[in-house]
Amino acid sequence: MRTPELVLLGGPHSGKTHYAGQLYGRVRRRPGLLRLRNDRGTPSNLSALEEVLRCLEEGRAAQHTSADTWAEVLLPLADAHGNAMDLRWPDYGGEQLRQVFEQRAVPEAWRSRLTQAEGWVLLIRLKSETTYPDALSELTKRLENRSDTAKRAVEWDANAYWVELLQLLLHVAGVGQIDRIRRPRLAVLLSCYDEFEKAEPGKVWAPPRQALADHLPLVSSFIESNWATDVLSIWGLSALGRPLERNGAAETFIDEGPEKQGWVIPPEGGTPDPDLSRPLAWLVGA
Ligand SMILES: Nc1nc2c(ncn2[C@@H]2O[C@H](COP(=O)(O)OP(=O)(O)OP(=O)(O)O)[C@@H](O)[C@H]2O)c(=O)[nH]1
Ligand SMILES: [Mg+2]
């Protein structure tokens, strides 16, 4: 039995909880490369994921995870060849990752995970990342002619934030950057991909790495120059396929079921694939 160790890295509102819930619905009801095992070998408490799925079945969004929450579920999975694996999937308040960055301190529990994990899942919601593309040109203007942008640039530019955070985490995990990284494998999931480009029927999507390079060029070149190409993949992820309100009642979710919603765009681009387990299957080599 394999028990692959993965680390999930995602800030607040990046889509961790909804991806976990949808992943659970998929492997249980509409399996792709990974499916839920229904043997009784693995005692697992899946109630947190059941709760997310229950919200989605009613057509509404699940709750924000409180900042101090750290919870883990054990997903008993099997791959397409019938190989069994138990995947521990964490969910936590995304503020914790911000704190790692701000305090430049990594809690012990994170340290051992980062060191042991064979794969990292990096969730980036491009639409919510703050950058200051015109800050440099503003600097060359006379002070009195500057727009508000320069004054507003109090938050870190997302390019600098992610590169700094990744360097910090790699250092803590004891991963050097002289040679290209082979372990951990890295799956970058560009989450809520539906809000970033319109999904029209029959549309062929560009490789998601292009979207990362367009929006966060520094992050893109840091990742692509530090990881070996065969252990890095960049996906578009829309766990829900559309926005959901906390008090909403989206009919497609109620009528068709959450397992019919959501898709991924594979690294090479193409048409949306409903198999939300695909990036994880790639990560664990299934
Ligand atoms: N449009 C769109 N919205 C999504 C998708 N997935 C999640 N969302 C929305 O994004 C918001 C944040 O999603 P969560 O899954 O709660 O994010 P999280 O990473 O768990 O956030 P924290 O619990 O705060 O760490 C919610 O309001 C969701 O409704 C998606 O695929 N598409
Ligand atoms: Mg959450």
Side-chain angles (χ1 to χ4, degrees), residues 127-204:
K127 202 67 191 214
S128 327
E129 296 293 329
T130 309
T131 56
Y132 303 101
D134 48 357
L136 286 181
S137 60
E138 285 293 317
L139 283 176
T140 58
K141 288 186 191 160
R142 286 177 159 279
L143 205 54
E144 59 270 24
N145 295 336
R146 285 187 195 172
S147 76
D148 273 352
T149 328
K151 278 181 243 152
R152 275 193 276 113
V154 285
E155 203 182 310
W156 278 79
D157 184 292
N159 280 292
Y161 171 84
W162 281 112
V163 170
E164 179 73 1
L165 184 62
L166 283 169
Q167 296 202 102
L168 203 142
L169 297 173
L170 286 168
H171 178 74
V172 166
V175 180
Q177 284 163 248
I178 295 171
D179 296 320
R180 287 211 164 193
I181 299 167
R182 302 216 58 88
R183 185 193 160 110
R185 290 162 76 86
L186 179 66
V188 181
L189 309 188
L190 304 175
S191 59
C192 305
Y193 214 57
D194 58 282
E195 61 183 8
F196 164 70
E197 263 188 64
K198 268 239 159 329
E200 279 141 7
K203 173 175 168 170
V204 177

Side-chain angles (χ1 to χ4, degrees), residues 35-166:
R35 64 178 168 80
L36 200 69
R37 288 199 323 271
N38 45 15
D39 60 30
R40 285 162 195 260
T42 308
S44 52
N45 181 2
L46 297 166
S47 58
L49 296 185
E50 301 267 7
E51 176 55 28
V52 177
L53 214 47
R54 194 157 38 240
C55 292
L56 297 178
E57 279 164 356
E58 292 167 6
R60 58 194 173 91
Q63 251 175 344
H64 154 71
T65 315
S66 70
D68 51 6
T69 300
W70 175 278
E72 215 169 42
V73 293
L74 194 65
L75 282 172
L77 300 176
D79 68 15
H81 310 291
N83 300 317
M85 72 182 92
D86 284 344
L87 188 64
R88 272 198 281 149
W89 190 258
D91 198 12
Y92 57 89
E95 286 92 348
Q96 290 179 34
L97 198 62
R98 281 269 160 86
Q99 272 170 23
V100 166
F101 175 81
E102 276 159 20
Q103 300 171 0
R104 294 215 152 31
V106 179
E108 201 41 53
W110 278 68
R111 185 183 298 272
S112 58
R113 266 161 225 283
L114 287 163
T115 314
Q116 281 163 24
E118 61 197 73
W120 291 5
V121 181
L122 176 60
L123 227 62
I124 300 181
R125 186 175 184 174
L126 287 176
K127 202 67 191 214
S128 327
E129 296 293 329
T130 309
T131 56
Y132 303 101
D134 48 357
L136 286 181
S137 60
E138 285 293 317
L139 283 176
T140 58
K141 288 186 191 160
R142 286 177 159 279
L143 205 54
E144 59 270 24
N145 295 336
R146 285 187 195 172
S147 76
D148 273 352
T149 328
K151 278 181 243 152
R152 275 193 276 113
V154 285
E155 203 182 310
W156 278 79
D157 184 292
N159 280 292
Y161 171 84
W162 281 112
V163 170
E164 179 73 1
L165 184 62
L166 283 169

Side-chain angles (χ1 to χ4, degrees), residues 13-18 64-65 94 125 192 194 238-240 242-243:
H13 301 288
S14 57
K16 296 183 295 302
T17 300
H18 286 84
H64 154 71
T65 315
R125 186 175 184 174
C192 305
D194 58 282
S238 175
L240 303 178
R242 50 164 289 173

